[in-house]
Amino acid sequence: NRPAHRLGETIIATVNFADAALPCYALRATLESSERVAGHLAVRSNASIRRATRKIHASYFENTLYATRVVFSPAVPVSATPTVITTGVNHEWELRFEFVTSSVHDGSAPSGARLLETVSEDDRGRIMSALENLGCESFEIAIPITIYGETVRERLPEENEGYSI
């Protein structure tokens, strides 16, 4: 809904499949943070640093075979480190989405009712079962977001009262 949030806020991310070009079978979404070290300071590769510092704060998985819309609404932990950007080390946040789609991209991929096959049929009706094998592949996207620290608030009058010694 917006690219910047504060610690403790809830992020609302909506994925709309109404006019999708590819059928999406499943969706995995995560809210994560990691560090990035400038090349002239890094002793290890960026991928190695990311693996060591990556922290998943919220995770969501949904089967999206017949979904037209999926909502992922993680809360940013109050105790987490906000976004930090320096010349040497950055602490970055992102929403990461992994889409599991068909491996056939010419429009003949099974979706909707074509994901079911008839097991038996008679005059009373037919029994259908899910396809046993389904060719699929996945891709992921990462949406960078900025997380700001908490706001400074004025103390309430009762919080300012001290105790006599």
Side-chain angles (χ1 to χ4, degrees):
N1 56 355
R2 63 183 200 263
H5 296 274
R6 291 203 174 277
L7 292 173
E9 284 187 348
T10 300
I11 299 171
I12 299 172
T14 304
V15 180
N16 188 356
F17 295 111
D19 296 323
L22 292 172
C24 182
Y25 301 142
L27 171 72
R28 180 180 310 278
T30 57
L31 171 65
E32 53 189 63
S33 64
S34 64
E35 292 180 9
R36 179 167 291 146
V37 179
H40 64 281
L41 295 175
V43 177
R44 300 185 317 196
S45 69
N46 278 337
S48 176
I49 293 170
R50 177 169 166 67
R51 269 194 310 273
T53 62
R54 178 177 169 218
K55 179 162 178 151
I56 297 176
H57 300 278
S59 177
Y60 177 75
F61 179 80
E62 180 77 26
N63 251 339
T64 58
L65 293 173
Y66 299 100
T68 57
R69 185 174 83 152
V70 173
V71 178
F72 172 53
S73 54
V76 179
V78 176
S79 60
T81 304
T83 300
V84 177
I85 299 175
T86 66
T87 56
V89 178
N90 296 346
H91 185 78
E92 301 171 342
W93 286 76
E94 60 189 16
L95 284 172
R96 184 173 296 275
F97 294 94
E98 179 185 2
F99 297 90
V100 178
T101 63
S102 169
S103 60
V104 180
H105 301 297
D106 63 359
S108 63
S111 64
R114 295 186 302 169
L115 289 170
L116 301 173
E117 60 186 353
T118 302
V119 175
S120 68
E121 187 172 0
D122 59 13
D123 59 339
R124 295 174 292 172
R126 66 180 147 176
I127 298 173
M128 300 185 84
S129 175
L131 291 174
E132 286 188 25
N133 296 314
L134 185 63
C136 64
E137 56 187 39
S138 68
F139 67 93
E140 63 181 33
I141 62 167
I143 301 171
I145 56 174
T146 302
I147 304 296
Y148 293 110
E150 290 185 280
T151 59
V152 177
R153 67 174 180 87
E154 294 292 324
R155 298 181 92 185
L156 298 172
E158 56 269 13
E159 292 176 328
N160 285 331
E161 293 177 10
Y163 296 104
S164 58
I165 297 178

Short mmCIF file of all heavy atoms in Angstrom, two decimals, residues 66 110 112-121 126-133:
data_model
loop_
_atom_site.label_atom_id
_atom_site.label_comp_id
_atom_site.label_asym_id
_atom_site.label_seq_id
_atom_site.Cartn_x
_atom_site.Cartn_y
_atom_site.Cartn_z
N TYR A 66 -7.70 -21.31 -7.25
CA TYR A 66 -8.96 -20.69 -7.65
C TYR A 66 -9.13 -19.30 -7.04
O TYR A 66 -10.22 -18.75 -7.04
CB TYR A 66 -10.15 -21.59 -7.24
CG TYR A 66 -10.09 -22.93 -7.91
CD1 TYR A 66 -9.61 -24.04 -7.23
CD2 TYR A 66 -10.46 -23.08 -9.23
CE1 TYR A 66 -9.54 -25.28 -7.85
CE2 TYR A 66 -10.39 -24.30 -9.86
CZ TYR A 66 -9.93 -25.40 -9.17
OH TYR A 66 -9.84 -26.62 -9.80
N PRO A 110 -2.82 -26.07 -17.66
CA PRO A 110 -4.07 -26.34 -16.96
C PRO A 110 -4.36 -25.30 -15.88
O PRO A 110 -3.47 -24.91 -15.15
CB PRO A 110 -3.87 -27.73 -16.36
CG PRO A 110 -2.40 -27.93 -16.31
CD PRO A 110 -1.82 -27.09 -17.40
N GLY A 112 -8.05 -23.70 -13.52
CA GLY A 112 -9.48 -23.85 -13.28
C GLY A 112 -9.89 -25.30 -13.23
O GLY A 112 -9.26 -26.14 -12.59
N ALA A 113 -10.96 -25.65 -13.96
CA ALA A 113 -11.51 -27.00 -13.95
C ALA A 113 -10.58 -27.99 -14.63
O ALA A 113 -10.69 -29.21 -14.42
CB ALA A 113 -12.87 -27.02 -14.62
N ARG A 114 -9.64 -27.53 -15.46
CA ARG A 114 -8.72 -28.45 -16.14
C ARG A 114 -7.67 -29.02 -15.19
O ARG A 114 -6.88 -29.85 -15.57
CB ARG A 114 -8.04 -27.75 -17.31
CG ARG A 114 -9.03 -27.37 -18.41
CD ARG A 114 -8.35 -26.82 -19.61
NE ARG A 114 -7.56 -25.64 -19.23
CZ ARG A 114 -6.69 -25.07 -20.01
NH1 ARG A 114 -6.45 -25.54 -21.21
NH2 ARG A 114 -6.03 -24.01 -19.61
N LEU A 115 -7.67 -28.59 -13.94
CA LEU A 115 -6.77 -29.17 -12.93
C LEU A 115 -7.36 -30.44 -12.32
O LEU A 115 -6.73 -31.06 -11.48
CB LEU A 115 -6.49 -28.15 -11.82
CG LEU A 115 -5.61 -26.98 -12.23
CD1 LEU A 115 -5.60 -25.93 -11.14
CD2 LEU A 115 -4.20 -27.47 -12.50
N LEU A 116 -8.54 -30.82 -12.77
CA LEU A 116 -9.20 -32.03 -12.29
C LEU A 116 -9.33 -33.03 -13.43
O LEU A 116 -9.53 -32.64 -14.59
CB LEU A 116 -10.59 -31.70 -11.74
CG LEU A 116 -10.65 -30.70 -10.58
CD1 LEU A 116 -12.10 -30.35 -10.27
CD2 LEU A 116 -9.97 -31.28 -9.36
N GLU A 117 -9.19 -34.32 -13.10
CA GLU A 117 -9.38 -35.36 -14.11
C GLU A 117 -10.47 -36.31 -13.63
O GLU A 117 -10.63 -36.53 -12.43
CB GLU A 117 -8.07 -36.11 -14.38
CG GLU A 117 -7.47 -36.79 -13.18
CD GLU A 117 -6.11 -37.39 -13.45
OE1 GLU A 117 -5.67 -37.40 -14.61
OE2 GLU A 117 -5.48 -37.86 -12.49
N THR A 118 -11.22 -36.85 -14.57
CA THR A 118 -12.32 -37.75 -14.23
C THR A 118 -11.78 -39.12 -13.84
O THR A 118 -11.00 -39.72 -14.57
CB THR A 118 -13.27 -37.89 -15.44
OG1 THR A 118 -13.75 -36.59 -15.80
CG2 THR A 118 -14.45 -38.77 -15.10
N VAL A 119 -12.19 -39.59 -12.66
CA VAL A 119 -11.78 -40.91 -12.17
C VAL A 119 -12.79 -41.95 -12.62
O VAL A 119 -12.43 -43.00 -13.13
CB VAL A 119 -11.65 -40.90 -10.63
CG1 VAL A 119 -11.35 -42.29 -10.10
CG2 VAL A 119 -10.60 -39.92 -10.20
N SER A 120 -14.09 -41.67 -12.45
CA SER A 120 -15.14 -42.56 -12.92
C SER A 120 -16.38 -41.74 -13.24
O SER A 120 -16.57 -40.64 -12.71
CB SER A 120 -15.45 -43.64 -11.87
OG SER A 120 -16.04 -43.05 -10.74
N GLU A 121 -17.22 -42.31 -14.11
CA GLU A 121 -18.43 -41.59 -14.54
C GLU A 121 -19.53 -42.60 -14.81
O GLU A 121 -19.29 -43.65 -15.39
CB GLU A 121 -18.10 -40.78 -15.80
CG GLU A 121 -19.21 -39.87 -16.25
CD GLU A 121 -18.76 -38.95 -17.38
OE1 GLU A 121 -17.60 -39.02 -17.81
OE2 GLU A 121 -19.61 -38.18 -17.83
N ARG A 126 -20.16 -37.87 -12.09
CA ARG A 126 -18.77 -38.29 -12.24
C ARG A 126 -17.95 -37.90 -11.01
O ARG A 126 -18.26 -36.93 -10.34
CB ARG A 126 -18.16 -37.74 -13.51
CG ARG A 126 -18.02 -36.27 -13.54
CD ARG A 126 -17.40 -35.86 -14.85
NE ARG A 126 -17.96 -34.56 -15.22
CZ ARG A 126 -17.61 -33.86 -16.23
NH1 ARG A 126 -16.70 -34.33 -17.06
NH2 ARG A 126 -18.15 -32.71 -16.47
N ILE A 127 -16.93 -38.69 -10.77
CA ILE A 127 -16.01 -38.44 -9.67
C ILE A 127 -14.72 -37.90 -10.28
O ILE A 127 -14.17 -38.49 -11.20
CB ILE A 127 -15.73 -39.73 -8.87
CG1 ILE A 127 -17.03 -40.25 -8.26
CG2 ILE A 127 -14.68 -39.48 -7.80
CD1 ILE A 127 -16.90 -41.60 -7.61
N MET A 128 -14.29 -36.76 -9.73
CA MET A 128 -13.10 -36.13 -10.26
C MET A 128 -12.03 -36.04 -9.17
O MET A 128 -12.34 -35.96 -7.99
CB MET A 128 -13.43 -34.73 -10.79
CG MET A 128 -14.46 -34.77 -11.90
SD MET A 128 -14.76 -33.19 -12.64
CE MET A 128 -13.43 -33.16 -13.83
N SER A 129 -10.80 -36.09 -9.60
CA SER A 129 -9.66 -36.03 -8.69
C SER A 129 -8.66 -35.02 -9.25
O SER A 129 -8.64 -34.74 -10.45
CB SER A 129 -9.03 -37.42 -8.58
OG SER A 129 -7.86 -37.35 -7.79
N ALA A 130 -7.82 -34.51 -8.37
CA ALA A 130 -6.80 -33.55 -8.80
C ALA A 130 -5.76 -34.25 -9.67
O ALA A 130 -5.50 -35.44 -9.50
CB ALA A 130 -6.13 -32.92 -7.59
N LEU A 131 -5.17 -33.50 -10.59
CA LEU A 131 -4.10 -34.05 -11.42
C LEU A 131 -2.95 -34.52 -10.53
O LEU A 131 -2.62 -33.86 -9.54
CB LEU A 131 -3.57 -32.98 -12.38
CG LEU A 131 -4.49 -32.54 -13.51
CD1 LEU A 131 -3.87 -31.39 -14.27
CD2 LEU A 131 -4.78 -33.70 -14.45
N GLU A 132 -2.39 -35.66 -10.87
CA GLU A 132 -1.29 -36.19 -10.07
C GLU A 132 0.02 -35.48 -10.38
O GLU A 132 0.85 -35.29 -9.51
CB GLU A 132 -1.15 -37.69 -10.29
CG GLU A 132 -2.24 -38.49 -9.62
CD GLU A 132 -1.97 -39.97 -9.70
OE1 GLU A 132 -0.79 -40.37 -9.82
OE2 GLU A 132 -2.93 -40.73 -9.64
N ASN A 133 0.25 -35.16 -11.64
CA ASN A 133 1.48 -34.51 -12.05
C ASN A 133 1.15 -33.18 -12.73
O ASN A 133 0.25 -33.11 -13.56
CB ASN A 133 2.28 -35.38 -13.02
CG ASN A 133 2.74 -36.66 -12.37
OD1 ASN A 133 3.26 -36.63 -11.26
ND2 ASN A 133 2.54 -37.78 -13.04
#
